[in-house]
Amino acid sequence: MKFKVDGKEYPCCTSLTMKYIGGKWKSVILIHLKNGTLRYNEIRKLIPTVSERTLSLQLKQLEEDRLIERNVIPTDKPPLRVEYSMTDFGKTLIPLLVMISEWGEEAVKWDPKIEEIEE
């Protein structure tokens, strides 16, 4: 089966799935949101190696794909308080994200090229 999303074709279900979680940061963002709502700065602290621009773009893409929702909470003075959480659609990815994370833990045991580093 082939699929089309926003004019772009996907040759199979795997490529369609990767449209949603592919890339370096989308799955990392989602795995952090699986436990609940986070503010932008909380996500930045959890993923310190992502640039602000990239994080903003990835959050926007995840929101456009309806995997997360952005909630702006009005405040008396700037800056606005912005929170992100997974949508019901996004939550359907949690078992897959957990499996990917568990696979990564196993890969550390199998691939001698992987070096564990301390933070």
Side-chain angles (χ1 to χ4, degrees), residues 25 29 40-45 47-61 84:
W25 301 111
I29 293 165
Y40 178 87
N41 285 334
E42 292 173 317
I43 298 170
R44 279 278 295 141
K45 286 177 186 172
I47 315 170
T49 54
V50 66
S51 71
E52 286 191 38
R53 181 178 187 277
T54 298
L55 179 58
S56 294
L57 289 171
Q58 295 295 281
L59 287 167
K60 184 176 180 181
Q61 183 65 58
Y84 294 91

Side-chain angles (χ1 to χ4, degrees), residues 7 10-11 22-24 29 36 38 43 46-47 55-56 58 62 64 67 73 79 93 100-101 114 117:
Y10 297 87
K24 188 173 180 179
I29 293 165
L38 292 171
I43 298 170
L46 291 167
I47 315 170
L55 179 58
S56 294
Q58 295 295 281
L62 290 166
E64 288 173 2
L67 297 177
I73 300 162
L93 285 168
I100 290 171
S101 180
I114 299 173
I117 56 175

Side-chain angles (χ1 to χ4, degrees), residues 77-93:
K77 40 188 158 166
L80 292 174
R81 183 176 170 163
V82 179
E83 296 180 335
Y84 294 91
S85 59
M86 292 182 93
T87 62
D88 288 341
F89 178 48
K91 289 176 184 175
T92 64
L93 285 168

Side-chain angles (χ1 to χ4, degrees), residues 10-76:
Y10 297 87
C12 64
C13 291
T14 301
S15 64
L16 181 64
T17 302
M18 295 310 294
K19 173 234 184 296
Y20 289 97
I21 65 166
K24 188 173 180 179
W25 301 111
K26 286 182 181 179
S27 57
V28 177
I29 293 165
L30 290 169
I31 201 79
H32 286 299
L33 288 173
K34 79 177 178 59
N35 294 322
T37 301
L38 292 171
R39 293 184 65 191
Y40 178 87
N41 285 334
E42 292 173 317
I43 298 170
R44 279 278 295 141
K45 286 177 186 172
L46 291 167
I47 315 170
T49 54
V50 66
S51 71
E52 286 191 38
R53 181 178 187 277
T54 298
L55 179 58
S56 294
L57 289 171
Q58 295 295 281
L59 287 167
K60 184 176 180 181
Q61 183 65 58
L62 290 166
E63 184 182 7
E64 288 173 2
D65 287 340
R66 298 180 330 276
L67 297 177
I68 67 170
E69 57 189 6
R70 180 178 185 265
N71 186 21
V72 178
I73 300 162
T75 58
D76 293 337

